[in-house]
Amino acid sequence: MAEELFIPTDTDRSAIYEALFPQLEALIGDESDLIANLANISAVLKEAFGFFWVGFYLVKEGQLVLGPFQGPLACTRIPFHKGVCGAAYTRKETILVPDVEAFPGHIACSSASKSEIVVPVFNRNGTVAMVIDVDSDQLDDFSETDAREIEKIAALISRKL
Ligand code: SME
């Protein structure tokens, strides 16, 4: 695909996700390198929505290890039982956190992060291979729309695993 992203302006978040999805499909469709694909997905989400931090934590060596991301410096390793990422891994479900300070065990990589969503990405055999972590510097910035749309992106990645 052309290395240029089309992002509709003057519209709501769900319309932006709708415009992005086929572009993401095209972007990673013919590329087999996982790290390259995760790097570009992080870049696309960051550019399209201006999120504070977007990235991946990969299941490695019995913990979650930082993968490709866009945004400020982040924690490198997260135990499975810690933080929002650990909760998404353990519960095998999307976790929406409207206020990170109210989430027990939240790992504060940055005090600027106020709300977040973490979505698991599954292997073909149904185990969690990684999580997508998106952080906002606004409180209550994520909705069911983000959950549904980021889960679609997670399913797209799963097809490549
Ligand atoms: N918020 C995460 C930690 C990772 S950073 O936000 C990038 C958590 O509590 O799982």
Side-chain angles (χ1 to χ4, degrees):
M1 87 159 221
E3 272 91 25
E4 205 173 315
L5 192 62
F6 165 68
I7 305 167
T9 49
D10 295 330
T11 187
D12 65 358
R13 214 179 258 186
S14 68
I16 299 176
Y17 280 115
E18 208 172 299
L20 290 184
F21 193 77
Q23 298 184 79
L24 287 173
E25 267 183 316
L27 185 63
I28 74 170
D30 292 330
E31 177 52 63
S32 61
D33 190 90
L34 181 64
I35 297 300
N37 286 334
L38 301 183
N40 263 337
I41 291 168
S42 307
V44 166
L45 291 175
K46 174 86 168 140
E47 187 179 343
F49 298 106
F51 292 131
F52 178 71
W53 196 94
V54 182
F56 293 86
Y57 280 92
L58 311 177
V59 175
K60 275 185 195 174
E61 301 154 11
Q63 51 194 330
L64 296 165
V65 181
L66 184 64
F69 72 95
Q70 295 270 316
L73 178 74
C75 324
T76 310
R77 290 171 186 264
I78 300 178
F80 288 148
H81 63 279
K82 281 244 174 110
V84 186
C85 291
Y89 171 83
T90 309
R91 295 189 214 161
K92 293 183 154 204
E93 63 186 28
T94 298
I95 313 269
L96 259 170
V97 181
D99 177 357
V100 294
E101 291 195 6
F103 188 92
H106 169 255
I107 302 162
C109 290
S110 164
S111 59
S113 174
K114 302 283 186 235
S115 61
E116 70 175 273
I117 181 168
V118 180
V119 176
V121 179
F122 297 95
N123 266 324
R124 278 163 203 272
N125 65 9
T127 58
V128 178
M130 68 189 82
V131 298
I132 308 176
D133 180 354
V134 185
D135 295 4
S136 172
D137 57 7
Q138 313 286 313
L139 276 171
D140 200 12
D141 200 16
F142 301 103
S143 68
E144 286 305 322
T145 298
D146 299 286
R148 197 176 55 239
E149 297 294 336
I150 298 171
E151 283 167 3
K152 275 171 65 183
I153 296 169
L156 191 62
I157 298 165
S158 290
R159 300 214 301 253
K160 311 283 294 183
L161 297 178

